Amino acid sequence: MRIVITIGGSILLKEYDSKRFEEYAEVIRQLNQEHEIFIVVGGGKPARQYISVVRDMGETESICDEIGIQVTRINARLLQCALKDIAYPAIPTNFQQALEYSATNKIVIMGGTEPAHSTDAVGSILAEYVGADLVINATSVDGLYDKDPNKFDDAKMFTEVTADQLMEVVSDNDTKAGTYEFIDKTAIEIIKRSSIKTIILNGNNPENLITALNEPIGTVIKN
Ligand code: UTP
């Protein structure tokens, strides 16, 4: 299978610790034995911190986004270092480059592309562009809940939703730089039009990525 994995920066950079990158590298190495893997890395806390500094300087949201994109590329570079020579040694800045680099049979790792969306959207567009069979979105929650599980004990997780149902749930979310919460709307639009199966799961345990290929886990977005 051709699989696009998006890993939230908040997962990789919870602590500034090489161990986390190496744990991910090990799981990706395993997946790479049977599958063709593309990875998109998010910005996490460092992106939000940099964005808040430029926003305080009165810069536009697009410039804040551009700073966020630079941070996602640094994070992508760190994962590339952890994967050593099985990763392509450059970070593509657009989808055509990503496809070109993948012709080497190395794992392609990228961050953001352009303003006004998050790396969730990059993952969905990349999946559409390279004709992926599956997107796995490693995030900091177990999946999509009907209400906030941190506030409500009776919150229930959806095991499956359609792109339209998901859009309804996130429609009140903010679209400012550094503030995409669960998944961004552009990503949902792309999931809808491409019909590529997407699994949102908890990336705090990297092994969940392997589990996702063998049994139900997290929330599956299907059309
Ligand atoms: P992320 O995709 O990491 O956003 O990009 P996020 O969801 O807030 O963070 P985590 O990683 O899931 O915790 C960080 C910021 O970079 C900009 C946006 O401002 C985004 O919030 N960005 C990223 C873009 O403008 N375009 C991109 O293609 C990617």
Side-chain angles (χ1 to χ4, degrees):
M1 266 201 295
R2 191 170 268 198
I3 306 173
V4 171
I5 300 170
T6 68
I7 311 172
S10 41
I11 297 294
L12 281 175
L13 286 139
K14 214 169 180 179
E15 319 286 337
Y16 287 70
D17 185 356
S18 60
K19 199 166 147 253
R20 174 58 12 149
F21 284 90
E22 274 153 8
E23 284 166 4
Y24 259 97
E26 184 45 42
V27 163
I28 293 163
R29 249 179 233 118
Q30 283 180 43
L31 292 172
N32 189 51
Q33 284 171 5
E34 280 184 45
H35 304 284
E36 194 185 346
I37 308 292
F38 290 76
I39 301 170
V40 180
V41 175
K45 196 170 163 197
R48 282 189 288 278
Q49 287 175 333
Y50 276 97
I51 286 168
S52 108
V53 174
V54 249
R55 188 176 283 130
D56 288 347
M57 292 175 187
E59 291 294 354
T60 62
E61 282 305 306
S62 299
I63 291 180
C64 291
D65 280 336
E66 185 244 306
I67 297 294
I69 292 167
Q70 309 254 24
V71 178
T72 63
R73 290 183 182 152
I74 293 176
N75 294 346
R77 181 80 183 95
L78 292 181
L79 185 59
Q80 210 176 51
C81 290
L83 279 164
K84 308 263 187 290
D85 59 354
I86 61 166
Y88 189 82
I91 306 289
T93 54
N94 61 57
F95 301 105
Q96 194 188 354
Q97 253 174 12
L99 189 59
E100 274 170 30
Y101 295 173
S102 75
T104 59
N105 290 324
K106 300 262 184 191
I107 298 176
V108 173
I109 309 172
M110 66 191 291
T113 51
E114 64 280 304
H117 55 67
S118 82
T119 46
D120 296 332
V122 176
S124 302
I125 300 169
L126 178 64
E128 189 180 73
Y129 200 95
V130 304
D133 306 287
L134 175 68
V135 176
I136 301 177
N137 188 334
T139 177
S140 53
V141 292
D142 290 337
L144 179 72
Y145 284 82
D146 57 353
K147 46 192 160 185
D148 186 347
N150 296 316
K151 291 190 195 140
F152 300 95
D153 287 344
D154 63 340
K156 280 200 198 72
M157 196 183 86
F158 295 101
T159 51
E160 214 174 281
V161 285
T162 63
D164 285 332
Q165 283 169 328
L166 185 57
M167 189 61 101
E168 259 177 52
V169 177
V170 303
S171 59
D172 295 335
N173 283 4
D174 215 339
T175 55
K176 280 190 173 168
T179 60
Y180 296 103
E181 285 191 355
F182 185 69
I183 186 168
D184 85 67
K185 291 167 200 149
T186 309
I188 303 171
E189 297 283 1
I190 304 291
I191 291 169
K192 191 174 162 164
R193 78 173 191 187
S194 67
S195 300
I196 298 172
K197 181 177 169 185
T198 301
I199 305 173
I200 299 177
L201 51 73
N202 196 325
N204 282 312
N205 177 5
E207 294 280 329
N208 283 346
L209 269 60
I210 294 170
T211 307
L213 299 185
N214 302 309
E215 56 189 84
I217 186 169
T219 299
V220 179
I221 311 165
K222 275 187 180 165
N223 287 303

PDB file of all heavy atoms in Angstrom, residues 12-45:
ATOM      1  N   LEU A  12       5.544  14.868  18.158  1.00  0.00           N
ATOM      2  CA  LEU A  12       6.998  14.681  18.029  1.00  0.00           C
ATOM      3  C   LEU A  12       7.770  15.581  18.980  1.00  0.00           C
ATOM      4  O   LEU A  12       8.859  15.237  19.427  1.00  0.00           O
ATOM      5  CB  LEU A  12       7.433  14.967  16.589  1.00  0.00           C
ATOM      6  CG  LEU A  12       7.175  13.855  15.591  1.00  0.00           C
ATOM      7  CD1 LEU A  12       7.534  14.325  14.184  1.00  0.00           C
ATOM      8  CD2 LEU A  12       7.962  12.597  15.926  1.00  0.00           C
ATOM      9  N   LEU A  13       7.197  16.764  19.260  1.00  0.00           N
ATOM     10  CA  LEU A  13       7.949  17.722  20.083  1.00  0.00           C
ATOM     11  C   LEU A  13       7.281  18.011  21.409  1.00  0.00           C
ATOM     12  O   LEU A  13       7.302  19.139  21.898  1.00  0.00           O
ATOM     13  CB  LEU A  13       8.171  19.008  19.293  1.00  0.00           C
ATOM     14  CG  LEU A  13       9.237  18.757  18.233  1.00  0.00           C
ATOM     15  CD1 LEU A  13       8.888  19.395  16.944  1.00  0.00           C
ATOM     16  CD2 LEU A  13      10.593  19.168  18.745  1.00  0.00           C
ATOM     17  N   LYS A  14       6.716  16.961  21.989  1.00  0.00           N
ATOM     18  CA  LYS A  14       6.126  17.112  23.308  1.00  0.00           C
ATOM     19  C   LYS A  14       7.239  17.540  24.268  1.00  0.00           C
ATOM     20  O   LYS A  14       7.134  18.502  25.005  1.00  0.00           O
ATOM     21  CB  LYS A  14       5.530  15.781  23.746  1.00  0.00           C
ATOM     22  CG  LYS A  14       4.299  15.931  24.565  1.00  0.00           C
ATOM     23  CD  LYS A  14       3.635  14.602  24.740  1.00  0.00           C
ATOM     24  CE  LYS A  14       2.396  14.751  25.570  1.00  0.00           C
ATOM     25  NZ  LYS A  14       1.731  13.487  25.739  1.00  0.00           N
ATOM     26  N   GLU A  15       8.317  16.767  24.232  1.00  0.00           N
ATOM     27  CA  GLU A  15       9.557  17.151  24.901  1.00  0.00           C
ATOM     28  C   GLU A  15      10.551  17.339  23.759  1.00  0.00           C
ATOM     29  O   GLU A  15      10.385  16.777  22.708  1.00  0.00           O
ATOM     30  CB  GLU A  15      10.086  16.011  25.781  1.00  0.00           C
ATOM     31  CG  GLU A  15       9.050  15.249  26.572  1.00  0.00           C
ATOM     32  CD  GLU A  15       8.546  16.041  27.741  1.00  0.00           C
ATOM     33  OE1 GLU A  15       9.280  16.941  28.188  1.00  0.00           O
ATOM     34  OE2 GLU A  15       7.424  15.774  28.203  1.00  0.00           O
ATOM     35  N   TYR A  16      11.611  18.073  23.987  1.00  0.00           N
ATOM     36  CA  TYR A  16      12.643  18.171  22.951  1.00  0.00           C
ATOM     37  C   TYR A  16      13.588  17.000  23.174  1.00  0.00           C
ATOM     38  O   TYR A  16      14.609  17.116  23.836  1.00  0.00           O
ATOM     39  CB  TYR A  16      13.377  19.504  23.038  1.00  0.00           C
ATOM     40  CG  TYR A  16      12.539  20.670  22.545  1.00  0.00           C
ATOM     41  CD1 TYR A  16      11.437  21.110  23.268  1.00  0.00           C
ATOM     42  CD2 TYR A  16      12.840  21.317  21.350  1.00  0.00           C
ATOM     43  CE1 TYR A  16      10.657  22.160  22.818  1.00  0.00           C
ATOM     44  CE2 TYR A  16      12.064  22.367  20.886  1.00  0.00           C
ATOM     45  CZ  TYR A  16      10.974  22.782  21.630  1.00  0.00           C
ATOM     46  OH  TYR A  16      10.200  23.811  21.178  1.00  0.00           O
ATOM     47  N   ASP A  17      13.179  15.826  22.644  1.00  0.00           N
ATOM     48  CA  ASP A  17      13.854  14.595  23.014  1.00  0.00           C
ATOM     49  C   ASP A  17      14.063  13.718  21.770  1.00  0.00           C
ATOM     50  O   ASP A  17      13.102  13.406  21.063  1.00  0.00           O
ATOM     51  CB  ASP A  17      12.941  13.876  24.037  1.00  0.00           C
ATOM     52  CG  ASP A  17      13.588  12.640  24.601  1.00  0.00           C
ATOM     53  OD1 ASP A  17      14.699  12.291  24.169  1.00  0.00           O
ATOM     54  OD2 ASP A  17      12.962  12.015  25.491  1.00  0.00           O
ATOM     55  N   SER A  18      15.313  13.310  21.534  1.00  0.00           N
ATOM     56  CA  SER A  18      15.607  12.504  20.341  1.00  0.00           C
ATOM     57  C   SER A  18      14.906  11.140  20.397  1.00  0.00           C
ATOM     58  O   SER A  18      14.632  10.526  19.368  1.00  0.00           O
ATOM     59  CB  SER A  18      17.116  12.300  20.205  1.00  0.00           C
ATOM     60  OG  SER A  18      17.600  11.624  21.351  1.00  0.00           O
ATOM     61  N   LYS A  19      14.617  10.671  21.630  1.00  0.00           N
ATOM     62  CA  LYS A  19      14.023   9.338  21.805  1.00  0.00           C
ATOM     63  C   LYS A  19      12.704   9.221  21.031  1.00  0.00           C
ATOM     64  O   LYS A  19      12.436   8.239  20.368  1.00  0.00           O
ATOM     65  CB  LYS A  19      13.791   9.098  23.302  1.00  0.00           C
ATOM     66  CG  LYS A  19      13.625   7.647  23.650  1.00  0.00           C
ATOM     67  CD  LYS A  19      13.751   7.427  25.152  1.00  0.00           C
ATOM     68  CE  LYS A  19      12.853   6.286  25.553  1.00  0.00           C
ATOM     69  NZ  LYS A  19      11.652   6.686  26.278  1.00  0.00           N
ATOM     70  N   ARG A  20      11.891  10.241  21.135  1.00  0.00           N
ATOM     71  CA  ARG A  20      10.592  10.240  20.455  1.00  0.00           C
ATOM     72  C   ARG A  20      10.759  10.087  18.927  1.00  0.00           C
ATOM     73  O   ARG A  20      10.075   9.309  18.265  1.00  0.00           O
ATOM     74  CB  ARG A  20       9.911  11.565  20.809  1.00  0.00           C
ATOM     75  CG  ARG A  20       8.640  11.957  20.198  1.00  0.00           C
ATOM     76  CD  ARG A  20       7.438  11.183  20.273  1.00  0.00           C
ATOM     77  NE  ARG A  20       7.182  10.068  21.109  1.00  0.00           N
ATOM     78  CZ  ARG A  20       5.984   9.776  21.579  1.00  0.00           C
ATOM     79  NH1 ARG A  20       4.991  10.595  21.375  1.00  0.00           N
ATOM     80  NH2 ARG A  20       5.773   8.697  22.257  1.00  0.00           N
ATOM     81  N   PHE A  21      11.739  10.823  18.368  1.00  0.00           N
ATOM     82  CA  PHE A  21      11.991  10.727  16.923  1.00  0.00           C
ATOM     83  C   PHE A  21      12.465   9.322  16.581  1.00  0.00           C
ATOM     84  O   PHE A  21      12.087   8.755  15.555  1.00  0.00           O
ATOM     85  CB  PHE A  21      13.046  11.767  16.499  1.00  0.00           C
ATOM     86  CG  PHE A  21      12.495  13.161  16.427  1.00  0.00           C
ATOM     87  CD1 PHE A  21      12.518  13.990  17.545  1.00  0.00           C
ATOM     88  CD2 PHE A  21      11.935  13.640  15.257  1.00  0.00           C
ATOM     89  CE1 PHE A  21      11.987  15.272  17.483  1.00  0.00           C
ATOM     90  CE2 PHE A  21      11.397  14.922  15.186  1.00  0.00           C
ATOM     91  CZ  PHE A  21      11.431  15.742  16.305  1.00  0.00           C
ATOM     92  N   GLU A  22      13.313   8.760  17.454  1.00  0.00           N
ATOM     93  CA  GLU A  22      13.840   7.425  17.170  1.00  0.00           C
ATOM     94  C   GLU A  22      12.757   6.349  17.270  1.00  0.00           C
ATOM     95  O   GLU A  22      12.743   5.399  16.489  1.00  0.00           O
ATOM     96  CB  GLU A  22      15.050   7.134  18.066  1.00  0.00           C
ATOM     97  CG  GLU A  22      16.294   7.689  17.392  1.00  0.00           C
ATOM     98  CD  GLU A  22      17.411   8.078  18.313  1.00  0.00           C
ATOM     99  OE1 GLU A  22      17.332   7.788  19.525  1.00  0.00           O
ATOM    100  OE2 GLU A  22      18.382   8.686  17.825  1.00  0.00           O
ATOM    101  N   GLU A  23      11.837   6.517  18.231  1.00  0.00           N
ATOM    102  CA  GLU A  23      10.710   5.574  18.328  1.00  0.00           C
ATOM    103  C   GLU A  23       9.891   5.604  17.041  1.00  0.00           C
ATOM    104  O   GLU A  23       9.501   4.575  16.505  1.00  0.00           O
ATOM    105  CB  GLU A  23       9.781   5.970  19.486  1.00  0.00           C
ATOM    106  CG  GLU A  23      10.301   5.631  20.865  1.00  0.00           C
ATOM    107  CD  GLU A  23       9.485   6.358  21.955  1.00  0.00           C
ATOM    108  OE1 GLU A  23       8.495   7.054  21.649  1.00  0.00           O
ATOM    109  OE2 GLU A  23       9.884   6.227  23.113  1.00  0.00           O
ATOM    110  N   TYR A  24       9.626   6.814  16.556  1.00  0.00           N
ATOM    111  CA  TYR A  24       8.880   6.930  15.304  1.00  0.00           C
ATOM    112  C   TYR A  24       9.660   6.340  14.139  1.00  0.00           C
ATOM    113  O   TYR A  24       9.105   5.654  13.281  1.00  0.00           O
ATOM    114  CB  TYR A  24       8.477   8.396  15.030  1.00  0.00           C
ATOM    115  CG  TYR A  24       7.025   8.611  15.393  1.00  0.00           C
ATOM    116  CD1 TYR A  24       6.664   9.142  16.611  1.00  0.00           C
ATOM    117  CD2 TYR A  24       6.019   8.217  14.523  1.00  0.00           C
ATOM    118  CE1 TYR A  24       5.335   9.280  16.965  1.00  0.00           C
ATOM    119  CE2 TYR A  24       4.692   8.341  14.859  1.00  0.00           C
ATOM    120  CZ  TYR A  24       4.353   8.879  16.073  1.00  0.00           C
ATOM    121  OH  TYR A  24       3.028   8.998  16.410  1.00  0.00           O
ATOM    122  N   ALA A  25      10.967   6.605  14.126  1.00  0.00           N
ATOM    123  CA  ALA A  25      11.798   6.092  13.025  1.00  0.00           C
ATOM    124  C   ALA A  25      11.720   4.566  12.985  1.00  0.00           C
ATOM    125  O   ALA A  25      11.622   3.962  11.917  1.00  0.00           O
ATOM    126  CB  ALA A  25      13.236   6.563  13.199  1.00  0.00           C
ATOM    127  N   GLU A  26      11.711   3.922  14.157  1.00  0.00           N
ATOM    128  CA  GLU A  26      11.672   2.461  14.227  1.00  0.00           C
ATOM    129  C   GLU A  26      10.350   1.919  13.640  1.00  0.00           C
ATOM    130  O   GLU A  26      10.345   0.982  12.845  1.00  0.00           O
ATOM    131  CB  GLU A  26      11.849   2.015  15.697  1.00  0.00           C
ATOM    132  CG  GLU A  26      11.923   0.526  15.923  1.00  0.00           C
ATOM    133  CD  GLU A  26      12.841  -0.201  14.938  1.00  0.00           C
ATOM    134  OE1 GLU A  26      13.939   0.326  14.643  1.00  0.00           O
ATOM    135  OE2 GLU A  26      12.441  -1.287  14.450  1.00  0.00           O
ATOM    136  N   VAL A  27       9.247   2.544  14.027  1.00  0.00           N
ATOM    137  CA  VAL A  27       7.938   2.120  13.511  1.00  0.00           C
ATOM    138  C   VAL A  27       7.857   2.352  11.998  1.00  0.00           C
ATOM    139  O   VAL A  27       7.378   1.502  11.240  1.00  0.00           O
ATOM    140  CB  VAL A  27       6.812   2.887  14.260  1.00  0.00           C
ATOM    141  CG1 VAL A  27       5.494   2.813  13.514  1.00  0.00           C
ATOM    142  CG2 VAL A  27       6.673   2.352  15.673  1.00  0.00           C
ATOM    143  N   ILE A  28       8.385   3.480  11.547  1.00  0.00           N
ATOM    144  CA  ILE A  28       8.343   3.800  10.105  1.00  0.00           C
ATOM    145  C   ILE A  28       9.203   2.800   9.327  1.00  0.00           C
ATOM    146  O   ILE A  28       8.815   2.345   8.251  1.00  0.00           O
ATOM    147  CB  ILE A  28       8.793   5.266   9.870  1.00  0.00           C
ATOM    148  CG1 ILE A  28       7.754   6.222  10.464  1.00  0.00           C
ATOM    149  CG2 ILE A  28       8.986   5.544   8.375  1.00  0.00           C
ATOM    150  CD1 ILE A  28       8.242   7.635  10.672  1.00  0.00           C
ATOM    151  N   ARG A  29      10.341   2.437   9.891  1.00  0.00           N
ATOM    152  CA  ARG A  29      11.208   1.419   9.255  1.00  0.00           C
ATOM    153  C   ARG A  29      10.433   0.112   9.050  1.00  0.00           C
ATOM    154  O   ARG A  29      10.489  -0.500   8.006  1.00  0.00           O
ATOM    155  CB  ARG A  29      12.420   1.132  10.153  1.00  0.00           C
ATOM    156  CG  ARG A  29      13.693   1.632   9.540  1.00  0.00           C
ATOM    157  CD  ARG A  29      14.902   1.376  10.419  1.00  0.00           C
ATOM    158  NE  ARG A  29      15.577   2.642  10.596  1.00  0.00           N
ATOM    159  CZ  ARG A  29      15.766   3.272  11.733  1.00  0.00           C
ATOM    160  NH1 ARG A  29      15.364   2.731  12.859  1.00  0.00           N
ATOM    161  NH2 ARG A  29      16.371   4.431  11.770  1.00  0.00           N
ATOM    162  N   GLN A  30       9.690  -0.278  10.088  1.00  0.00           N
ATOM    163  CA  GLN A  30       8.895  -1.513   9.984  1.00  0.00           C
ATOM    164  C   GLN A  30       7.830  -1.398   8.896  1.00  0.00           C
ATOM    165  O   GLN A  30       7.678  -2.285   8.066  1.00  0.00           O
ATOM    166  CB  GLN A  30       8.204  -1.812  11.315  1.00  0.00           C
ATOM    167  CG  GLN A  30       9.137  -2.403  12.356  1.00  0.00           C
ATOM    168  CD  GLN A  30       8.371  -2.684  13.648  1.00  0.00           C
ATOM    169  OE1 GLN A  30       7.259  -3.198  13.636  1.00  0.00           O
ATOM    170  NE2 GLN A  30       8.960  -2.331  14.776  1.00  0.00           N
ATOM    171  N   LEU A  31       7.109  -0.290   8.898  1.00  0.00           N
ATOM    172  CA  LEU A  31       6.047  -0.107   7.897  1.00  0.00           C
ATOM    173  C   LEU A  31       6.624  -0.066   6.487  1.00  0.00           C
ATOM    174  O   LEU A  31       6.031  -0.556   5.535  1.00  0.00           O
ATOM    175  CB  LEU A  31       5.283   1.197   8.172  1.00  0.00           C
ATOM    176  CG  LEU A  31       4.434   1.233   9.443  1.00  0.00           C
ATOM    177  CD1 LEU A  31       3.907   2.643   9.691  1.00  0.00           C
ATOM    178  CD2 LEU A  31       3.258   0.260   9.323  1.00  0.00           C
ATOM    179  N   ASN A  32       7.822   0.492   6.368  1.00  0.00           N
ATOM    180  CA  ASN A  32       8.467   0.659   5.067  1.00  0.00           C
ATOM    181  C   ASN A  32       8.880  -0.676   4.428  1.00  0.00           C
ATOM    182  O   ASN A  32       9.105  -0.748   3.230  1.00  0.00           O
ATOM    183  CB  ASN A  32       9.696   1.567   5.258  1.00  0.00           C
ATOM    184  CG  ASN A  32      10.313   1.989   3.942  1.00  0.00           C
ATOM    185  OD1 ASN A  32       9.608   2.472   3.061  1.00  0.00           O
ATOM    186  ND2 ASN A  32      11.597   1.782   3.797  1.00  0.00           N
ATOM    187  N   GLN A  33       8.940  -1.732   5.245  1.00  0.00           N
ATOM    188  CA  GLN A  33       9.307  -3.035   4.673  1.00  0.00           C
ATOM    189  C   GLN A  33       8.234  -3.556   3.722  1.00  0.00           C
ATOM    190  O   GLN A  33       8.521  -4.237   2.766  1.00  0.00           O
ATOM    191  CB  GLN A  33       9.560  -4.044   5.784  1.00  0.00           C
ATOM    192  CG  GLN A  33      10.917  -3.777   6.435  1.00  0.00           C
ATOM    193  CD  GLN A  33      11.141  -4.597   7.677  1.00  0.00           C
ATOM    194  OE1 GLN A  33      10.329  -5.451   8.030  1.00  0.00           O
ATOM    195  NE2 GLN A  33      12.244  -4.335   8.351  1.00  0.00           N
ATOM    196  N   GLU A  34       6.966  -3.213   4.021  1.00  0.00           N
ATOM    197  CA  GLU A  34       5.889  -3.730   3.170  1.00  0.00           C
ATOM    198  C   GLU A  34       5.124  -2.655   2.407  1.00  0.00           C
ATOM    199  O   GLU A  34       4.328  -2.969   1.538  1.00  0.00           O
ATOM    200  CB  GLU A  34       4.868  -4.477   4.041  1.00  0.00           C
ATOM    201  CG  GLU A  34       5.316  -5.863   4.380  1.00  0.00           C
ATOM    202  CD  GLU A  34       4.243  -6.592   5.165  1.00  0.00           C
ATOM    203  OE1 GLU A  34       3.068  -6.519   4.772  1.00  0.00           O
ATOM    204  OE2 GLU A  34       4.598  -7.206   6.182  1.00  0.00           O
ATOM    205  N   HIS A  35       5.327  -1.396   2.801  1.00  0.00           N
ATOM    206  CA  HIS A  35       4.512  -0.332   2.215  1.00  0.00           C
ATOM    207  C   HIS A  35       5.382   0.818   1.717  1.00  0.00           C
ATOM    208  O   HIS A  35       6.531   0.949   2.132  1.00  0.00           O
ATOM    209  CB  HIS A  35       3.515   0.189   3.258  1.00  0.00           C
ATOM    210  CG  HIS A  35       2.651  -0.891   3.838  1.00  0.00           C
ATOM    211  ND1 HIS A  35       1.592  -1.433   3.150  1.00  0.00           N
ATOM    212  CD2 HIS A  35       2.733  -1.561   5.019  1.00  0.00           C
ATOM    213  CE1 HIS A  35       1.041  -2.393   3.889  1.00  0.00           C
ATOM    214  NE2 HIS A  35       1.718  -2.491   5.035  1.00  0.00           N
ATOM    215  N   GLU A  36       4.766   1.643   0.875  1.00  0.00           N
ATOM    216  CA  GLU A  36       5.486   2.833   0.417  1.00  0.00           C
ATOM    217  C   GLU A  36       5.004   4.016   1.269  1.00  0.00           C
ATOM    218  O   GLU A  36       3.809   4.328   1.277  1.00  0.00           O
ATOM    219  CB  GLU A  36       5.163   3.063  -1.062  1.00  0.00           C
ATOM    220  CG  GLU A  36       6.100   4.036  -1.707  1.00  0.00           C
ATOM    221  CD  GLU A  36       5.684   4.347  -3.138  1.00  0.00           C
ATOM    222  OE1 GLU A  36       4.826   3.603  -3.677  1.00  0.00           O
ATOM    223  OE2 GLU A  36       6.181   5.314  -3.689  1.00  0.00           O
ATOM    224  N   ILE A  37       5.936   4.615   1.979  1.00  0.00           N
ATOM    225  CA  ILE A  37       5.553   5.594   3.007  1.00  0.00           C
ATOM    226  C   ILE A  37       5.947   7.034   2.630  1.00  0.00           C
ATOM    227  O   ILE A  37       7.072   7.286   2.213  1.00  0.00           O
ATOM    228  CB  ILE A  37       6.251   5.253   4.357  1.00  0.00           C
ATOM    229  CG1 ILE A  37       6.006   3.784   4.752  1.00  0.00           C
ATOM    230  CG2 ILE A  37       5.831   6.212   5.460  1.00  0.00           C
ATOM    231  CD1 ILE A  37       4.585   3.443   5.106  1.00  0.00           C
ATOM    232  N   PHE A  38       5.000   7.938   2.817  1.00  0.00           N
ATOM    233  CA  PHE A  38       5.257   9.384   2.725  1.00  0.00           C
ATOM    234  C   PHE A  38       4.894   9.961   4.091  1.00  0.00           C
ATOM    235  O   PHE A  38       3.908   9.534   4.687  1.00  0.00           O
ATOM    236  CB  PHE A  38       4.343  10.052   1.694  1.00  0.00           C
ATOM    237  CG  PHE A  38       4.645   9.700   0.271  1.00  0.00           C
ATOM    238  CD1 PHE A  38       4.270   8.474  -0.255  1.00  0.00           C
ATOM    239  CD2 PHE A  38       5.281  10.609  -0.561  1.00  0.00           C
ATOM    240  CE1 PHE A  38       4.531   8.155  -1.581  1.00  0.00           C
ATOM    241  CE2 PHE A  38       5.546  10.306  -1.887  1.00  0.00           C
ATOM    242  CZ  PHE A  38       5.171   9.075  -2.399  1.00  0.00           C
ATOM    243  N   ILE A  39       5.675  10.939   4.562  1.00  0.00           N
ATOM    244  CA  ILE A  39       5.381  11.494   5.889  1.00  0.00           C
ATOM    245  C   ILE A  39       5.248  13.015   5.833  1.00  0.00           C
ATOM    246  O   ILE A  39       6.022  13.691   5.149  1.00  0.00           O
ATOM    247  CB  ILE A  39       6.488  11.106   6.879  1.00  0.00           C
ATOM    248  CG1 ILE A  39       6.566   9.579   6.953  1.00  0.00           C
ATOM    249  CG2 ILE A  39       6.225  11.681   8.273  1.00  0.00           C
ATOM    250  CD1 ILE A  39       7.745   9.067   7.701  1.00  0.00           C
ATOM    251  N   VAL A  40       4.263  13.526   6.569  1.00  0.00           N
ATOM    252  CA  VAL A  40       4.097  14.972   6.712  1.00  0.00           C
ATOM    253  C   VAL A  40       4.165  15.293   8.203  1.00  0.00           C
ATOM    254  O   VAL A  40       3.449  14.690   9.008  1.00  0.00           O
ATOM    255  CB  VAL A  40       2.736  15.444   6.139  1.00  0.00           C
ATOM    256  CG1 VAL A  40       2.592  16.952   6.293  1.00  0.00           C
ATOM    257  CG2 VAL A  40       2.582  15.035   4.679  1.00  0.00           C
ATOM    258  N   VAL A  41       5.054  16.215   8.561  1.00  0.00           N
ATOM    259  CA  VAL A  41       5.281  16.526   9.975  1.00  0.00           C
ATOM    260  C   VAL A  41       4.707  17.911  10.302  1.00  0.00           C
ATOM    261  O   VAL A  41       4.847  18.854   9.529  1.00  0.00           O
ATOM    262  CB  VAL A  41       6.800  16.474  10.284  1.00  0.00           C
ATOM    263  CG1 VAL A  41       7.082  16.904  11.704  1.00  0.00           C
ATOM    264  CG2 VAL A  41       7.337  15.070  10.038  1.00  0.00           C
ATOM    265  N   GLY A  42       4.055  18.021  11.463  1.00  0.00           N
ATOM    266  CA  GLY A  42       3.440  19.280  11.891  1.00  0.00           C
ATOM    267  C   GLY A  42       4.387  20.164  12.694  1.00  0.00           C
ATOM    268  O   GLY A  42       5.553  19.838  12.905  1.00  0.00           O
ATOM    269  N   GLY A  43       3.841  21.304  13.143  1.00  0.00           N
ATOM    270  CA  GLY A  43       4.675  22.319  13.794  1.00  0.00           C
ATOM    271  C   GLY A  43       4.687  22.243  15.315  1.00  0.00           C
ATOM    272  O   GLY A  43       5.698  22.539  15.945  1.00  0.00           O
ATOM    273  N   GLY A  44       3.526  21.871  15.901  1.00  0.00           N
ATOM    274  CA  GLY A  44       3.446  21.745  17.354  1.00  0.00           C
ATOM    275  C   GLY A  44       3.695  23.048  18.099  1.00  0.00           C
ATOM    276  O   GLY A  44       3.540  24.143  17.551  1.00  0.00           O
ATOM    277  N   LYS A  45       4.112  22.890  19.357  1.00  0.00           N
ATOM    278  CA  LYS A  45       4.295  24.049  20.239  1.00  0.00           C
ATOM    279  C   LYS A  45       5.328  25.055  19.710  1.00  0.00           C
ATOM    280  O   LYS A  45       5.084  26.261  19.736  1.00  0.00           O
ATOM    281  CB  LYS A  45       4.696  23.535  21.623  1.00  0.00           C
ATOM    282  CG  LYS A  45       4.542  24.549  22.719  1.00  0.00           C
ATOM    283  CD  LYS A  45       4.723  23.874  24.076  1.00  0.00           C
ATOM    284  CE  LYS A  45       4.981  24.888  25.140  1.00  0.00           C
ATOM    285  NZ  LYS A  45       5.560  24.278  26.350  1.00  0.00           N
TER     286      LYS A  45
END
